[in-house]
Amino acid sequence: MPRSTGDHNEIRSRLRSPHLPQGAPTSPALANLAALALDRRLAGLAASIGLTYTRYADDLTFSGDLSDRAAIRLIGGVERIVRAEGFSVQPAKTRVRHAFQRQVVTGIVVNERPNLTRAEYDQLKALLHNAVRLGPDSQNRDQHGDFRAHLLGRIAWATQLHPERGQRLRAAFDRIEWPADQLNRVTASRSTSAAAARE
């Protein structure tokens, strides 16, 4: 709620300028439409020099073999296209990574195959280990409403990236002793889902 006329005018000014709403289910589709011409041009640039172009939200990635000199030229070409399409590049987030370096895109290590970062895997493994030793409530520091489902989601994501690691995480999860009320919530949720599926 605006606190003063100045706050109210600033909000009105911001809403008049072109922008996309954030958090709505349609936001990714609208962002993709807004970036369609950009994607086409960048994909064409990448293909012309034997690279692969991908974009997730505002993270642009070019994959393939390039010399350092060619990578510098590529960055310049990308910056020109991005500006021409009405967007801007954040130079502090622009990186060139070689095959021998850790390559991270949207928080996922992508060198040989998609994988969790070592730090994230170790943190989740430690959390599960402590939940086995001390109980799950001791590890629910962010007060997730359904901590069990939260952990299962994180494990499923890890499994998608690295099945063997995911199996080890799931084995640790299966050793956690859950309070009866949390197990009943899962059983009731599954029963409701099964009933809805039969209808």
Side-chain angles (χ1 to χ4, degrees), residues 88-162:
S88 60
V89 172
Q90 293 187 12
K93 292 187 173 184
T94 301
R95 294 176 182 83
V96 174
R97 294 287 180 254
H98 298 282
F100 61 86
Q101 295 173 305
R102 188 171 80 156
Q103 301 167 353
V104 179
V105 179
T106 64
I108 299 172
V109 178
V110 296
N111 286 60
E112 291 295 319
R113 62 178 176 180
N115 206 348
L116 290 173
T117 63
R118 183 72 196 191
E120 187 163 358
Y121 174 75
D122 287 346
Q123 186 273 334
L124 181 54
K125 186 171 85 170
L127 186 150
L128 293 169
H129 174 77
N130 288 334
V132 169
R133 285 183 50 239
L134 307 171
D137 290 339
S138 71
Q139 299 306 300
N140 189 5
R141 295 183 182 107
D142 294 330
Q143 300 303 308
H144 293 281
D146 190 345
F147 188 52
R148 190 173 193 281
H150 169 75
L151 288 179
L152 285 171
R154 289 184 65 189
I155 292 167
W157 184 66
T159 302
Q160 213 173 8
L161 296 173
H162 194 299

Side-chain angles (χ1 to χ4, degrees), residues 5 45 124 135 166:
T5 304
L45 173 64
L124 181 54

Side-chain angles (χ1 to χ4, degrees), residues 11-22 34 85-87:
I11 290 170
R12 288 178 65 189
S13 172
R14 287 185 182 188
L15 290 175
R16 273 196 298 267
S17 64
H19 66 281
L20 290 173
Q22 293 183 345
E85 292 298 331
F87 298 95

Side-chain angles (χ1 to χ4, degrees), residues 160-175:
Q160 213 173 8
L161 296 173
H162 194 299
E164 297 82 22
R165 279 186 167 182
Q167 287 173 354
R168 287 193 293 271
L169 293 170
R170 180 58 198 242
F173 174 88
D174 289 340
R175 290 192 303 272

Side-chain angles (χ1 to χ4, degrees), residues 167-188:
Q167 287 173 354
R168 287 193 293 271
L169 293 170
R170 180 58 198 242
F173 174 88
D174 289 340
R175 290 192 303 272
I176 298 172
E177 292 186 28
W178 293 93
D181 65 321
Q182 292 182 29
L183 290 174
N184 291 339
R185 186 179 331 144
V186 172
T187 303

